Amino acid sequence: MNVYKFISDNIKSKIQEIDEIKDVLTTDVANNIAVEVPKIRDFGDYSTNVAMMLVKLLKKSPRDIAEMILPKLAELDFVENVSVAGPGFINLKLKDAFLLNPEKYGAHKNDNVTPLMVDIDYGSYNIGKALHIGHLRTTVVGDTFNRIARFLGHKTKSYNHMGDWGLPMGLIIAWILENGMPKTADDINAMYPASAARSKQDKDWLERAQKCTVDLQSGNPEYLKIYNQFAPLSLAQISDILVRLNILPFDENKGERLAADYVPCVQKILDEKNLIVHDDGADIIPVKTDEDTAPMPPVMWRSSIGAQTYAAADLAAIYYRTTTDNPTDIVYFTDNRQNLHFTQIFRAAKLAGMDSANLQHIGFGTITGADGKPFKTRDGSVPSLDDMVDMVAESVRKRAAESGKELPNETIEMIALAALKFNDLMHDVKSDYMFDPDAVTQFEGRTGPYILYTAVRLNSVVKKAETLGVGAMENNSALDAEERNLLLRLMDFGRVLENAFARRATDLLANYTYDLAQDINTFYHHCPILRDDVPDTVKQGRLHIVNMARETLLNAIDLMGLRVPDAM
Ligand code: ARG
């Protein structure tokens, strides 16, 4: 329920009931009318610049315009009072009854969003490589974005576009042919870098691996047999860590290998449109335009040794997705080192007329250590995602021990997960951020544990109320400032989610949740709920507010893929 939109729509339609305004108001000006939630709410809960916006059209002072508008806005049934401040800002104070129950005033009537069909490409792991720190953001942000989209009523399909058909497979097969089959996923994860390192020194080795790749892609039965033995080991390891991270299962684990089926369809289109240029044995698609000032290399459609390329798999995947799902949008979450790749393939897709969906790449920044360089473990290696959860869990355990608490492992795991994921989500996806396993586990401040702690607190209030037999009920005496602030925050949830979805900015949700947790705790400290000396009606009224806050907080926590322990 986007209450903000309900209020601003009502303000806009109310002022159009004034003839003098209706006659001159252009859509342009109407669109620019801002309705804001002021930081300091002494003068009102919402304020609007509408009077200023109308100065030119009405040729009157903003104050006079505001005076003309005030009585109209006072007619809105959810408004307690309206006033003018400064040069002509209009402030609105909302009725307590509205804050307690916006639906009763029709605020849910604007809820019918047009459902979009969004294909989301995230995770997109690789066979032969353990999930590592570089996969954290695509996994966590992609999963939360997916959950937000669904919560808002959109349809989504999540794609794990597996890296399972390129040169790394040839490198692993060449290695296996010489050294024997791997027994575990970790064996394979060691093979790939060893073989890759050798291919850098040894040209014959590289050529052998390339040959293995092409042969695998063209169906060599021996290589397929080997592939079918090691790939599942890797996949099982990937799926274990996704379970540990509480990531929704992917709708499709369709990667480079399955994309191969659609390469011929794209080939046909490219040929028909004459988009391919033969270049030194390779097939390329030029995508540079006259406007380009930066280098814009062509798309490598087919390599000179005849291998299916990374770009070809992506174009084939776009073909599959657009023809199968008919999506309005395809959104990709990867790190920003792939910016150029996506610019290239989006251009090629456009040239090929395969751009019926809006194609969008969100490129992440890097997770760094205190030195500003990519984060490494103490021994200088790149941490796996398992390592990262372990590191954070260790810090949680230490903290609990310091405060004399003994927490069950399951609780520690939940807190660690919240610490790690919340910290990732609260940063703007495009920028780098510094990761400090000890800082993220603090129980105070902008952290996952603080959010969980707030939820645990509300859960225990509700439980206690049950044992005391206190029921929740709307109380119609005047609300305290802390109650009002909390309720105003709750009203903003719908707008925050819509913005987070539209801007692909999951940090908006994370930071909103932190603000909400703060408002909840301020309310909790100032407004005793079940204390003996609190009159019954007040108890019931506050419990009603607790229920509302709890519902929103738990929804937010769930959208971030966190789990709440019973106690902490
Ligand atoms: N597997 C790739 C990597 O680890 C990421 C794939 C991203 N998605 C895509 N459709 N290209 O670098």
Side-chain angles (χ1 to χ4, degrees):
M1 172 167 49
N2 189 336
V3 185
Y4 167 85
K5 184 160 182 297
F6 171 79
I7 293 171
S8 63
D9 285 354
N10 266 286
I11 293 177
K12 286 178 196 175
S13 69
K14 224 26 184 173
I15 60 168
Q16 302 204 43
E17 287 176 13
I18 304 171
D19 288 335
E20 203 179 326
I21 295 177
K22 192 175 77 197
D23 295 343
V24 295
L25 192 68
T26 58
T27 25
D28 208 30
V29 172
N31 287 340
N32 275 315
I33 294 173
V35 175
E36 271 161 22
V37 184
K39 279 244 158 2
I40 298 162
R41 299 218 178 97
D42 292 355
F43 303 110
D45 304 315
Y46 280 77
S47 79
T48 171
N49 65 350
V50 53
M52 272 87 144
M53 295 304 299
L54 294 169
V55 167
K56 275 217 188 98
L57 293 176
L58 296 176
K59 304 192 179 60
K60 281 189 175 168
S61 81
R63 241 197 115 113
D64 288 346
I65 298 172
E67 295 296 349
M68 169 169 91
I69 292 173
L70 284 192
K72 263 289 162 207
L73 295 186
E75 288 172 11
L76 291 167
D77 60 355
F78 55 85
V79 167
E80 175 73 40
N81 63 51
V82 271
S83 56
V84 193
F89 279 108
I90 298 178
N91 291 308
L92 287 98
K93 186 161 185 240
L94 304 174
K95 280 194 182 137
D96 286 358
F98 176 70
L99 298 187
L100 283 163
N101 197 342
E103 281 190 25
K104 214 158 67 189
Y105 292 78
H108 58 293
K109 294 226 174 82
N110 62 357
D111 277 358
N112 311 324
V113 291
T114 324
L116 302 174
M117 172 69 220
V118 189
D119 282 351
I120 318 172
D121 183 315
Y122 58 97
S124 299
Y125 314 107
N126 303 300
I127 289 200
K129 237 196 231 170
L131 267 53
H132 57 80
I133 187 167
H135 292 114
L136 184 70
R137 308 200 79 182
T138 175
T139 304
V140 170
V141 172
D143 181 63
T144 290
F145 178 71
N146 187 18
R147 292 175 192 250
I148 293 174
R150 291 184 186 179
F151 188 87
L152 289 173
H154 300 299
K155 281 213 164 63
T156 68
K157 204 156 154 193
S158 57
Y159 279 91
N160 179 15
H161 182 83
M162 289 291 301
D164 55 4
W165 209 230
L167 180 61
M169 301 306 105
L171 286 163
I172 294 173
I173 292 172
W175 193 267
I176 289 175
L177 289 171
E178 208 173 85
N179 300 291
M181 276 313 281
K183 297 203 174 47
T184 65
D186 286 336
D187 292 345
I188 312 169
N189 299 342
M191 285 178 173
Y192 167 62
S195 184
R198 182 162 165 198
S199 73
K200 298 224 165 71
Q201 320 271 319
D202 178 349
K203 202 162 155 271
D204 290 346
W205 185 255
L206 175 63
E207 281 172 8
R208 201 186 302 181
Q210 285 173 332
K211 176 98 178 44
C212 288
T213 311
V214 180
D215 289 349
L216 172 73
Q217 291 178 355
S218 23
N220 176 310
E222 188 198 349
Y223 294 177
L224 268 178
K225 196 169 155 216
I226 297 176
Y227 179 88
N228 286 329
Q229 276 174 8
F230 72 76
L233 293 175
S234 229
L235 289 173
Q237 188 184 47
I238 291 171
S239 122
D240 285 349
I241 177 74
L242 293 180
V243 169
R244 187 175 185 197
L245 289 173
N246 195 28
I247 299 301
L248 291 178
F250 284 92
D251 296 317
E252 299 249 26
N253 289 294
K254 220 180 190 30
E256 297 172 3
R257 179 166 65 90
L258 294 171
D261 293 349
Y262 303 90
V263 168
C265 306
V266 182
Q267 178 82 50
K268 197 164 154 247
I269 299 174
L270 297 174
D271 288 340
E272 273 164 18
K273 302 207 175 221
N274 248 328
L275 293 171
I276 291 183
V277 171
H278 303 292
D279 180 67
D280 220 3
D283 288 350
I284 61 173
I285 311 169
V287 290
K288 191 169 160 54
T289 68
D290 293 342
E291 283 91 67
D292 282 321
T293 46
M296 182 54 62
V299 168
M300 180 63 72
W301 170 248
R302 200 174 172 76
S303 80
S304 55
I305 57 158
Q308 170 181 311
T309 60
Y310 183 50
D314 262 322
L315 286 172
I318 291 176
Y319 177 87
Y320 172 81
R321 294 170 192 179
T322 46
T323 51
T324 314
D325 308 335
N326 192 21
T328 43
D329 302 79
I330 307 181
V331 187
Y332 298 78
F333 291 98
T334 78
D335 76 46
N336 56 23
R337 283 172 302 182
Q338 299 206 35
N339 288 357
L340 177 63
H341 165 75
F342 283 105
T343 307
Q344 289 174 291
I345 65 154
F346 292 171
R347 285 187 182 192
K350 186 158 189 221
L351 291 169
M354 300 193 317
D355 59 338
S356 58
N358 161 42
L359 304 171
Q360 187 181 22
H361 172 233
I362 307 294
F364 298 135
T366 308
I367 302 177
T368 71
D371 57 0
K373 302 213 180 86
F375 183 91
K376 296 267 167 64
T377 56
R378 251 183 238 118
D379 66 7
S381 57
V382 174
S384 71
L385 288 188
D386 265 321
D387 292 339
M388 291 190 84
V389 187
D390 289 344
M391 265 188 285
V392 177
E394 201 35 55
S395 164
V396 174
R397 197 168 283 121
K398 224 172 51 200
R399 230 174 250 288
E402 276 163 16
S403 56
K405 273 189 209 159
E406 226 191 284
L407 299 175
N409 278 337
E410 208 192 340
T411 301
I412 292 184
E413 183 82 5
M414 287 181 191
I415 300 173
L417 201 68
L420 181 68
K421 289 173 93 173
F422 181 82
N423 181 60
D424 193 67
L425 287 165
M426 76 181 202
H427 290 98
D428 175 294
V429 290
K430 295 211 164 82
S431 11
D432 297 351
Y433 75 76
M434 196 191 88
F435 174 64
D436 172 351
D438 282 327
V440 300
T441 62
Q442 287 175 47
F443 279 40
E444 287 292 331
R446 205 175 284 267
T447 66
Y450 175 70
I451 307 288
L452 290 193
Y453 182 75
T454 309
V456 168
R457 171 172 268 170
L458 292 191
N459 282 343
S460 76
V461 172
V462 169
K463 225 184 259 157
K464 185 163 173 213
E466 262 167 36
T467 50
L468 294 176
V470 182
M473 199 146 64
E474 241 176 78
N475 172 359
N476 44 21
S477 52
L479 293 169
D480 288 346
E482 293 79 14
E483 293 174 313
R484 296 194 97 251
N485 277 338
L486 173 55
L487 291 167
L488 280 159
R489 180 77 63 192
L490 293 177
M491 283 188 355
D492 217 17
F493 187 50
R495 166 164 74 139
V496 169
L497 290 183
E498 282 177 26
N499 285 341
F501 172 73
R503 286 154 51 185
R504 283 74 166 111
T506 46
D507 55 310
L508 296 178
L509 168 64
N511 290 305
Y512 167 83
T513 310
Y514 171 68
D515 293 339
L516 170 62
Q518 277 197 313
D519 289 340
I520 289 172
N521 289 314
T522 309
F523 156 77
Y524 182 86
H525 288 300
H526 284 85
C527 307
I529 304 162
L530 298 172
R531 216 166 62 190
D532 290 345
D533 59 332
V534 178
D536 277 350
T537 52
V538 177
K539 273 187 189 151
Q540 292 161 344
R542 290 192 174 149
L543 197 59
H544 177 71
I545 296 174
V546 166
N547 282 341
M548 291 172 75
R550 181 167 166 263
E551 184 185 327
T552 300
L553 182 66
L554 293 183
N555 275 331
I557 286 176
D558 192 55
L559 290 171
M560 294 189 284
L562 317 182
R563 284 191 280 241
V564 184
D566 290 338
M568 63 188 270

